[in-house]
Amino acid sequence: MTTPAPTLLYIDDDEALGRLVTRGLQRQGYCVVHASSGEAGLARLRQGGIDVVALDQYMPGLDGLETLEQIQNIPNPPPVVFVTASQDSSIAVTALKAGAADYLMKDTHGDFVPLLHVATEQALQQARIRKARDDAVAEVHASRDRYAALAAEREMLLREVNHRVGNSLQIIASLLHLQASSSKQADVKAALTNAMGRVAAVAQVHRRLYTSHDLKSVLLNQYLEALLEDLRRSAEGNRMSRLTLKSEAVEIDPDRAVAIGIIVNELVMNAVKYAYPDAAGPIHVELHAAGDDVELSIADDGVGLNVKVNPESTGMGQRIVNAMATKLEAAVERDPKHSGTRIVLRFRRISAPAASLAASAR
């Protein structure tokens, strides 16, 4: 594809010099338009199609500096090469500060035309580089805006999904609660209550996600407080009046929060069933962080491990705790010094694959 010849606007009140410049630059492949005054040059510029301007300083009416000032006010003005016969260097400095791309001295015989050709070539090259840079910056900004819009849309969709999932889980938990409350069979009531607690543990994570500005993490202290409040309102709530929480503000990803919630639910319900056979008693949930490590404990002051396991127990709760502990890559221990039962889990705040990925990113 052939590149069109650049068009130069030569603004000078000297008609003879205008003809010399026109012939000289046409031989170099330029289309040249001559304007004999600043006003005429500005009028031609507003018509468009000018790639570069050569501008004389001394002219009747608007002089070169005044014309240059008005050129700079035109949207996307072409580069300007300032031309004058004056030996006063202050004019050159003023012109360059006013936005001229280059400056050169002229003579009355046209010997400066080759220099004008070089200056206009450089001015056009600088203009092309500047345009490419501006286009690149504009594209970067546009790409950033598109990414921000997509990220905002994705976050909105995730929030909506979490909202719908959370509502669905809450409905299921409520139905299980109603069924457990109306059941006359103790084993059925217990099974429904356990199922309700497990669903509520997951529902609380989703509730925290869609009511938070951060969809990537959950504050465990807020999450556990809400989860324990759900347990207090459950079918077994009358036996959890002394259920307490002591937790630091620990952020964790939603998947690990679900596992922690299910473990807390299982161990609290286990303490309610077996720690205090005759009445309600204290149950303490504690969560502490030390650097990248987190310690979770569920303790009671009940009968401890010195009694026989309830023959009606299926061991499902223990299997669930072990499965969730494996998901957390947690170590599960019983505290032998505690008079009742105290289960301690220790795990990393961030899972091993995520931790290695974060380290490599740093």
Side-chain angles (χ1 to χ4, degrees):
M1 181 176 179
T2 305
T3 303
T7 299
L8 176 138
L9 174 62
Y10 182 63
I11 306 175
D12 192 334
D13 62 326
D14 189 330
E15 293 289 347
L17 204 53
R19 288 192 293 272
L20 287 173
V21 169
T22 299
R23 287 197 298 269
L25 291 182
Q26 281 178 343
R27 285 195 293 267
Q28 300 298 329
Y30 280 78
C31 293
V32 181
V33 177
H34 178 221
S36 57
S37 68
E39 293 85 351
L42 290 168
R44 178 62 186 84
L45 269 174
R46 292 189 181 98
Q47 295 175 20
I50 301 299
D51 298 305
V52 62
V53 176
L55 175 61
D56 185 34
Q57 163 59 8
Y58 296 109
M59 295 181 295
L62 291 176
D63 66 16
L65 290 175
E66 292 169 333
T67 304
L68 175 60
E69 181 180 356
Q70 294 199 31
I71 289 175
Q72 297 306 307
N73 292 329
I74 296 174
N76 300 315
V80 177
V81 177
F82 205 78
V83 181
T84 182
S86 173
Q87 300 292 326
D88 187 354
S89 61
S90 64
I91 295 177
V93 172
T94 304
L96 292 172
K97 286 184 177 179
D102 205 347
Y103 173 89
L104 60 86
M105 301 292 294
K106 73 171 185 176
D107 60 87
T108 58
H109 305 293
D111 294 338
F112 73 99
V113 173
L115 295 177
L116 179 59
H117 172 239
V118 173
T120 54
E121 285 290 312
Q122 292 176 346
L124 287 169
Q125 180 64 21
Q126 290 172 6
R128 284 191 287 268
I129 292 172
R130 185 167 56 251
K131 184 179 184 305
R133 181 198 62 200
D134 293 344
D135 289 348
V137 170
E139 180 58 31
V140 168
H141 289 167
S143 298
R144 183 185 60 193
D145 292 343
R146 286 194 297 269
Y147 175 80
L150 288 172
E153 182 182 8
R154 177 178 178 273
E155 182 172 328
M156 181 189 69
L157 292 173
L158 281 173
R159 200 178 300 280
E160 178 64 19
V161 168
N162 283 319
H163 174 68
R164 291 176 182 273
V165 171
N167 279 353
S168 299
L169 290 170
Q170 193 59 49
I171 290 171
I172 294 170
S174 298
L175 292 173
L176 289 170
H177 173 65
L178 289 173
Q179 192 68 39
S181 299
S182 61
S183 177
K184 304 301 183 183
Q185 297 176 276
D187 57 341
V188 173
K189 182 188 290 286
L192 290 171
T193 299
N194 288 342
M196 185 205 70
R198 290 159 188 158
V199 171
V202 180
Q204 273 294 341
V205 169
H206 284 277
R207 189 182 308 165
R208 288 290 160 193
L209 285 176
Y210 72 74
T211 57
S212 168
H213 293 297
D214 185 1
L215 298 177
K216 298 178 182 177
S217 65
V218 175
L219 277 172
L220 274 180
N221 57 323
Q222 297 177 359
Y223 166 53
L224 290 177
E225 181 57 54
L227 177 61
L228 296 190
E229 185 57 33
D230 282 349
L231 288 175
R232 294 186 190 101
R233 291 197 300 263
S234 70
E236 300 286 348
N238 61 323
R239 301 188 64 187
M240 298 188 203
S241 58
R242 299 174 67 184
L243 175 61
T244 64
L245 170 67
K246 184 177 180 181
S247 174
E248 297 175 3
V250 177
E251 284 191 14
I252 202 162
D253 65 271
D255 285 344
R256 293 163 72 76
V258 167
I260 292 168
I262 291 174
I263 288 173
V264 169
N265 174 77
E266 294 300 327
L267 294 178
V268 166
M269 294 304 297
N270 194 63
V272 167
K273 291 178 186 177
Y274 305 123
Y276 305 104
D278 302 322
I283 303 171
H284 308 291
V285 179
E286 295 189 11
L287 185 87
H288 303 288
D292 290 333
D293 295 325
V294 180
E295 181 178 288
L296 170 68
S297 67
I298 296 88
D300 62 66
D301 299 327
V303 296
L305 300 177
N306 297 320
V307 296
K308 291 184 66 176
V309 176
N310 190 319
E312 297 180 2
S313 173
T314 64
M316 174 64 73
Q318 185 61 48
R319 290 198 295 273
I320 290 174
V321 169
N322 290 339
M324 294 299 102
T326 300
K327 181 179 179 64
L328 288 170
E329 300 175 338
V332 183
E333 301 174 355
R334 295 180 184 269
D335 185 353
K337 299 178 181 179
H338 192 74
S339 58
T341 301
R342 181 171 182 263
I343 308 298
V344 181
L345 288 89
R346 294 181 181 86
F347 54 91
R348 303 283 288 177
R349 191 193 303 254
I350 303 175
S351 61
S356 62
L357 182 61
S360 64
R362 288 196 295 270

PDB file of all heavy atoms in Angstrom, residues 3 7 39-40 49 97 106 110 115 122 127 134 137 148 167 174 211 223 229 276 281 283 315 326 338 353 357 361:
ATOM      1  N   THR A   3       2.102   4.925   0.701  1.00  0.00           N
ATOM      2  CA  THR A   3       1.839   5.955   1.699  1.00  0.00           C
ATOM      3  C   THR A   3       1.590   7.285   1.008  1.00  0.00           C
ATOM      4  O   THR A   3       2.389   7.699   0.160  1.00  0.00           O
ATOM      5  CB  THR A   3       3.047   6.090   2.662  1.00  0.00           C
ATOM      6  OG1 THR A   3       3.294   4.820   3.247  1.00  0.00           O
ATOM      7  CG2 THR A   3       2.757   7.105   3.742  1.00  0.00           C
ATOM      8  N   THR A   7       1.356  16.534   3.518  1.00  0.00           N
ATOM      9  CA  THR A   7       0.981  17.886   3.098  1.00  0.00           C
ATOM     10  C   THR A   7       1.539  18.896   4.087  1.00  0.00           C
ATOM     11  O   THR A   7       1.286  18.797   5.295  1.00  0.00           O
ATOM     12  CB  THR A   7      -0.541  18.031   3.017  1.00  0.00           C
ATOM     13  OG1 THR A   7      -1.037  17.109   2.045  1.00  0.00           O
ATOM     14  CG2 THR A   7      -0.949  19.446   2.609  1.00  0.00           C
ATOM     15  N   GLU A  39      -3.789  34.552   9.551  1.00  0.00           N
ATOM     16  CA  GLU A  39      -5.226  34.307   9.497  1.00  0.00           C
ATOM     17  C   GLU A  39      -5.569  33.282   8.411  1.00  0.00           C
ATOM     18  O   GLU A  39      -6.382  32.370   8.639  1.00  0.00           O
ATOM     19  CB  GLU A  39      -5.983  35.618   9.234  1.00  0.00           C
ATOM     20  CG  GLU A  39      -5.900  36.632  10.368  1.00  0.00           C
ATOM     21  CD  GLU A  39      -4.653  37.502  10.305  1.00  0.00           C
ATOM     22  OE1 GLU A  39      -3.761  37.214   9.468  1.00  0.00           O
ATOM     23  OE2 GLU A  39      -4.555  38.459  11.086  1.00  0.00           O
ATOM     24  N   ALA A  40      -4.948  33.443   7.219  1.00  0.00           N
ATOM     25  CA  ALA A  40      -5.212  32.510   6.124  1.00  0.00           C
ATOM     26  C   ALA A  40      -4.723  31.107   6.472  1.00  0.00           C
ATOM     27  O   ALA A  40      -5.367  30.092   6.138  1.00  0.00           O
ATOM     28  CB  ALA A  40      -4.542  33.007   4.844  1.00  0.00           C
ATOM     29  N   GLY A  49      -6.480  18.091   6.874  1.00  0.00           N
ATOM     30  CA  GLY A  49      -5.629  17.542   5.821  1.00  0.00           C
ATOM     31  C   GLY A  49      -4.205  18.049   5.836  1.00  0.00           C
ATOM     32  O   GLY A  49      -3.455  17.780   4.889  1.00  0.00           O
ATOM     33  N   LYS A  97       9.024  26.867  23.500  1.00  0.00           N
ATOM     34  CA  LYS A  97       8.208  26.757  24.715  1.00  0.00           C
ATOM     35  C   LYS A  97       6.722  26.795  24.386  1.00  0.00           C
ATOM     36  O   LYS A  97       5.902  26.205  25.097  1.00  0.00           O
ATOM     37  CB  LYS A  97       8.555  27.893  25.678  1.00  0.00           C
ATOM     38  CG  LYS A  97       9.893  27.723  26.380  1.00  0.00           C
ATOM     39  CD  LYS A  97      10.122  28.838  27.387  1.00  0.00           C
ATOM     40  CE  LYS A  97      11.427  28.631  28.153  1.00  0.00           C
ATOM     41  NZ  LYS A  97      11.672  29.724  29.135  1.00  0.00           N
ATOM     42  N   LYS A 106      16.043  31.273   8.232  1.00  0.00           N
ATOM     43  CA  LYS A 106      15.806  31.276   6.792  1.00  0.00           C
ATOM     44  C   LYS A 106      16.603  32.406   6.133  1.00  0.00           C
ATOM     45  O   LYS A 106      17.066  33.330   6.801  1.00  0.00           O
ATOM     46  CB  LYS A 106      14.316  31.441   6.496  1.00  0.00           C
ATOM     47  CG  LYS A 106      13.769  32.848   6.744  1.00  0.00           C
ATOM     48  CD  LYS A 106      12.355  32.970   6.219  1.00  0.00           C
ATOM     49  CE  LYS A 106      11.851  34.414   6.355  1.00  0.00           C
ATOM     50  NZ  LYS A 106      10.530  34.613   5.771  1.00  0.00           N
ATOM     51  N   GLY A 110      16.290  31.133  -0.489  1.00  0.00           N
ATOM     52  CA  GLY A 110      15.757  29.776  -0.459  1.00  0.00           C
ATOM     53  C   GLY A 110      16.776  28.712  -0.157  1.00  0.00           C
ATOM     54  O   GLY A 110      16.490  27.514  -0.326  1.00  0.00           O
ATOM     55  N   LEU A 115      17.277  22.436   4.638  1.00  0.00           N
ATOM     56  CA  LEU A 115      17.192  22.323   6.100  1.00  0.00           C
ATOM     57  C   LEU A 115      15.737  22.215   6.553  1.00  0.00           C
ATOM     58  O   LEU A 115      15.422  21.493   7.497  1.00  0.00           O
ATOM     59  CB  LEU A 115      17.855  23.534   6.758  1.00  0.00           C
ATOM     60  CG  LEU A 115      19.369  23.677   6.541  1.00  0.00           C
ATOM     61  CD1 LEU A 115      19.878  24.962   7.193  1.00  0.00           C
ATOM     62  CD2 LEU A 115      20.111  22.460   7.108  1.00  0.00           C
ATOM     63  N   GLN A 122      11.848  15.365  10.530  1.00  0.00           N
ATOM     64  CA  GLN A 122      12.013  15.055  11.954  1.00  0.00           C
ATOM     65  C   GLN A 122      10.735  15.366  12.733  1.00  0.00           C
ATOM     66  O   GLN A 122      10.345  14.599  13.631  1.00  0.00           O
ATOM     67  CB  GLN A 122      13.195  15.839  12.519  1.00  0.00           C
ATOM     68  CG  GLN A 122      14.550  15.388  11.976  1.00  0.00           C
ATOM     69  CD  GLN A 122      15.698  16.240  12.488  1.00  0.00           C
ATOM     70  OE1 GLN A 122      15.491  17.328  13.041  1.00  0.00           O
ATOM     71  NE2 GLN A 122      16.919  15.758  12.282  1.00  0.00           N
ATOM     72  N   ALA A 127       6.040  13.362  15.552  1.00  0.00           N
ATOM     73  CA  ALA A 127       4.582  13.317  15.680  1.00  0.00           C
ATOM     74  C   ALA A 127       4.069  11.878  15.600  1.00  0.00           C
ATOM     75  O   ALA A 127       3.151  11.488  16.338  1.00  0.00           O
ATOM     76  CB  ALA A 127       3.934  14.177  14.598  1.00  0.00           C
ATOM     77  N   ASP A 134       0.743   7.804  22.391  1.00  0.00           N
ATOM     78  CA  ASP A 134      -0.574   8.159  22.919  1.00  0.00           C
ATOM     79  C   ASP A 134      -1.598   7.059  22.651  1.00  0.00           C
ATOM     80  O   ASP A 134      -2.440   6.763  23.505  1.00  0.00           O
ATOM     81  CB  ASP A 134      -1.056   9.476  22.295  1.00  0.00           C
ATOM     82  CG  ASP A 134      -0.213  10.674  22.730  1.00  0.00           C
ATOM     83  OD1 ASP A 134       0.528  10.533  23.719  1.00  0.00           O
ATOM     84  OD2 ASP A 134      -0.281  11.726  22.073  1.00  0.00           O
ATOM     85  N   VAL A 137      -0.917   4.290  25.119  1.00  0.00           N
ATOM     86  CA  VAL A 137      -1.407   4.654  26.454  1.00  0.00           C
ATOM     87  C   VAL A 137      -2.934   4.559  26.499  1.00  0.00           C
ATOM     88  O   VAL A 137      -3.513   4.041  27.463  1.00  0.00           O
ATOM     89  CB  VAL A 137      -0.942   6.084  26.824  1.00  0.00           C
ATOM     90  CG1 VAL A 137      -1.637   6.564  28.096  1.00  0.00           C
ATOM     91  CG2 VAL A 137       0.566   6.106  27.022  1.00  0.00           C
ATOM     92  N   ALA A 148     -11.499  -3.804  34.403  1.00  0.00           N
ATOM     93  CA  ALA A 148     -12.211  -3.394  35.618  1.00  0.00           C
ATOM     94  C   ALA A 148     -13.706  -3.663  35.483  1.00  0.00           C
ATOM     95  O   ALA A 148     -14.355  -4.116  36.437  1.00  0.00           O
ATOM     96  CB  ALA A 148     -11.955  -1.912  35.897  1.00  0.00           C
ATOM     97  N   ASN A 167     -29.282 -18.370  50.346  1.00  0.00           N
ATOM     98  CA  ASN A 167     -30.727 -18.408  50.627  1.00  0.00           C
ATOM     99  C   ASN A 167     -31.265 -19.832  50.567  1.00  0.00           C
ATOM    100  O   ASN A 167     -32.068 -20.243  51.412  1.00  0.00           O
ATOM    101  CB  ASN A 167     -31.472 -17.534  49.614  1.00  0.00           C
ATOM    102  CG  ASN A 167     -31.432 -16.062  49.992  1.00  0.00           C
ATOM    103  OD1 ASN A 167     -30.960 -15.708  51.070  1.00  0.00           O
ATOM    104  ND2 ASN A 167     -31.899 -15.215  49.104  1.00  0.00           N
ATOM    105  N   SER A 174     -33.745 -24.191  57.716  1.00  0.00           N
ATOM    106  CA  SER A 174     -34.992 -23.863  58.420  1.00  0.00           C
ATOM    107  C   SER A 174     -35.977 -25.023  58.376  1.00  0.00           C
ATOM    108  O   SER A 174     -36.659 -25.334  59.366  1.00  0.00           O
ATOM    109  CB  SER A 174     -35.622 -22.610  57.794  1.00  0.00           C
ATOM    110  OG  SER A 174     -34.756 -21.498  57.930  1.00  0.00           O
ATOM    111  N   THR A 211     -22.573 -10.682  51.709  1.00  0.00           N
ATOM    112  CA  THR A 211     -22.744  -9.419  52.437  1.00  0.00           C
ATOM    113  C   THR A 211     -21.416  -8.723  52.670  1.00  0.00           C
ATOM    114  O   THR A 211     -21.364  -7.704  53.341  1.00  0.00           O
ATOM    115  CB  THR A 211     -23.417  -9.671  53.809  1.00  0.00           C
ATOM    116  OG1 THR A 211     -22.635 -10.613  54.558  1.00  0.00           O
ATOM    117  CG2 THR A 211     -24.823 -10.214  53.621  1.00  0.00           C
ATOM    118  N   TYR A 223     -17.704 -15.074  61.442  1.00  0.00           N
ATOM    119  CA  TYR A 223     -18.360 -16.281  60.944  1.00  0.00           C
ATOM    120  C   TYR A 223     -18.716 -17.241  62.081  1.00  0.00           C
ATOM    121  O   TYR A 223     -19.847 -17.736  62.172  1.00  0.00           O
ATOM    122  CB  TYR A 223     -17.452 -16.959  59.921  1.00  0.00           C
ATOM    123  CG  TYR A 223     -17.834 -18.372  59.567  1.00  0.00           C
ATOM    124  CD1 TYR A 223     -19.120 -18.682  59.141  1.00  0.00           C
ATOM    125  CD2 TYR A 223     -16.909 -19.407  59.651  1.00  0.00           C
ATOM    126  CE1 TYR A 223     -19.475 -19.985  58.807  1.00  0.00           C
ATOM    127  CE2 TYR A 223     -17.256 -20.708  59.315  1.00  0.00           C
ATOM    128  CZ  TYR A 223     -18.534 -20.988  58.901  1.00  0.00           C
ATOM    129  OH  TYR A 223     -18.876 -22.269  58.574  1.00  0.00           O
ATOM    130  N   GLU A 229     -24.421 -18.677  67.070  1.00  0.00           N
ATOM    131  CA  GLU A 229     -25.761 -18.132  67.334  1.00  0.00           C
ATOM    132  C   GLU A 229     -26.820 -19.002  66.665  1.00  0.00           C
ATOM    133  O   GLU A 229     -27.900 -19.230  67.236  1.00  0.00           O
ATOM    134  CB  GLU A 229     -25.841 -16.703  66.816  1.00  0.00           C
ATOM    135  CG  GLU A 229     -27.153 -16.005  67.134  1.00  0.00           C
ATOM    136  CD  GLU A 229     -27.456 -15.960  68.630  1.00  0.00           C
ATOM    137  OE1 GLU A 229     -26.503 -15.874  69.439  1.00  0.00           O
ATOM    138  OE2 GLU A 229     -28.651 -16.036  68.984  1.00  0.00           O
ATOM    139  N   TYR A 276     -22.315 -33.597  79.066  1.00  0.00           N
ATOM    140  CA  TYR A 276     -23.146 -33.311  80.233  1.00  0.00           C
ATOM    141  C   TYR A 276     -24.424 -34.151  80.141  1.00  0.00           C
ATOM    142  O   TYR A 276     -25.440 -33.699  79.606  1.00  0.00           O
ATOM    143  CB  TYR A 276     -23.495 -31.825  80.294  1.00  0.00           C
ATOM    144  CG  TYR A 276     -22.270 -30.925  80.272  1.00  0.00           C
ATOM    145  CD1 TYR A 276     -21.919 -30.229  79.127  1.00  0.00           C
ATOM    146  CD2 TYR A 276     -21.476 -30.787  81.413  1.00  0.00           C
ATOM    147  CE1 TYR A 276     -20.809 -29.404  79.100  1.00  0.00           C
ATOM    148  CE2 TYR A 276     -20.350 -29.965  81.393  1.00  0.00           C
ATOM    149  CZ  TYR A 276     -20.021 -29.283  80.234  1.00  0.00           C
ATOM    150  OH  TYR A 276     -18.908 -28.466  80.217  1.00  0.00           O
ATOM    151  N   GLY A 281     -23.963 -27.504  80.262  1.00  0.00           N
ATOM    152  CA  GLY A 281     -22.692 -27.086  80.852  1.00  0.00           C
ATOM    153  C   GLY A 281     -21.910 -26.214  79.885  1.00  0.00           C
ATOM    154  O   GLY A 281     -22.305 -26.051  78.719  1.00  0.00           O
ATOM    155  N   ILE A 283     -19.379 -24.839  77.179  1.00  0.00           N
ATOM    156  CA  ILE A 283     -18.644 -25.303  76.000  1.00  0.00           C
ATOM    157  C   ILE A 283     -17.912 -24.094  75.442  1.00  0.00           C
ATOM    158  O   ILE A 283     -18.522 -23.047  75.197  1.00  0.00           O
ATOM    159  CB  ILE A 283     -19.585 -25.886  74.924  1.00  0.00           C
ATOM    160  CG1 ILE A 283     -20.416 -27.041  75.493  1.00  0.00           C
ATOM    161  CG2 ILE A 283     -18.784 -26.360  73.708  1.00  0.00           C
ATOM    162  CD1 ILE A 283     -21.511 -27.532  74.561  1.00  0.00           C
ATOM    163  N   GLY A 315     -20.484 -42.829  65.105  1.00  0.00           N
ATOM    164  CA  GLY A 315     -19.140 -42.409  64.730  1.00  0.00           C
ATOM    165  C   GLY A 315     -19.105 -41.506  63.514  1.00  0.00           C
ATOM    166  O   GLY A 315     -18.031 -41.145  63.027  1.00  0.00           O
ATOM    167  N   THR A 326      -8.506 -33.308  57.363  1.00  0.00           N
ATOM    168  CA  THR A 326      -7.645 -33.636  56.219  1.00  0.00           C
ATOM    169  C   THR A 326      -7.697 -32.534  55.168  1.00  0.00           C
ATOM    170  O   THR A 326      -6.672 -32.155  54.582  1.00  0.00           O
ATOM    171  CB  THR A 326      -8.092 -34.972  55.599  1.00  0.00           C
ATOM    172  OG1 THR A 326      -7.985 -36.008  56.593  1.00  0.00           O
ATOM    173  CG2 THR A 326      -7.226 -35.337  54.405  1.00  0.00           C
ATOM    174  N   HIS A 338      -6.616 -31.658  80.179  1.00  0.00           N
ATOM    175  CA  HIS A 338      -7.908 -31.020  80.429  1.00  0.00           C
ATOM    176  C   HIS A 338      -8.821 -31.982  81.185  1.00  0.00           C
ATOM    177  O   HIS A 338      -8.904 -33.172  80.861  1.00  0.00           O
ATOM    178  CB  HIS A 338      -8.539 -30.613  79.098  1.00  0.00           C
ATOM    179  CG  HIS A 338      -9.722 -29.715  79.242  1.00  0.00           C
ATOM    180  ND1 HIS A 338      -9.611 -28.385  79.582  1.00  0.00           N
ATOM    181  CD2 HIS A 338     -11.057 -29.962  79.113  1.00  0.00           C
ATOM    182  CE1 HIS A 338     -10.809 -27.834  79.638  1.00  0.00           C
ATOM    183  NE2 HIS A 338     -11.706 -28.783  79.354  1.00  0.00           N
ATOM    184  N   PRO A 353      -0.509 -25.489  48.701  1.00  0.00           N
ATOM    185  CA  PRO A 353      -0.384 -25.042  47.304  1.00  0.00           C
ATOM    186  C   PRO A 353      -0.542 -23.546  47.167  1.00  0.00           C
ATOM    187  O   PRO A 353       0.194 -22.895  46.438  1.00  0.00           O
ATOM    188  CB  PRO A 353      -1.520 -25.797  46.594  1.00  0.00           C
ATOM    189  CG  PRO A 353      -1.805 -26.978  47.459  1.00  0.00           C
ATOM    190  CD  PRO A 353      -1.560 -26.495  48.859  1.00  0.00           C
ATOM    191  N   LEU A 357       2.267 -20.744  45.951  1.00  0.00           N
ATOM    192  CA  LEU A 357       1.964 -19.847  44.836  1.00  0.00           C
ATOM    193  C   LEU A 357       2.181 -18.393  45.237  1.00  0.00           C
ATOM    194  O   LEU A 357       2.737 -17.609  44.480  1.00  0.00           O
ATOM    195  CB  LEU A 357       0.507 -20.068  44.397  1.00  0.00           C
ATOM    196  CG  LEU A 357       0.031 -19.248  43.198  1.00  0.00           C
ATOM    197  CD1 LEU A 357       0.865 -19.596  41.971  1.00  0.00           C
ATOM    198  CD2 LEU A 357      -1.448 -19.493  42.927  1.00  0.00           C
ATOM    199  N   ALA A 361       4.922 -15.716  43.714  1.00  0.00           N
ATOM    200  CA  ALA A 361       4.497 -14.422  43.189  1.00  0.00           C
ATOM    201  C   ALA A 361       5.324 -13.298  43.758  1.00  0.00           C
ATOM    202  O   ALA A 361       5.621 -12.309  43.102  1.00  0.00           O
ATOM    203  CB  ALA A 361       3.013 -14.192  43.483  1.00  0.00           C
TER     204      ALA A 361
END
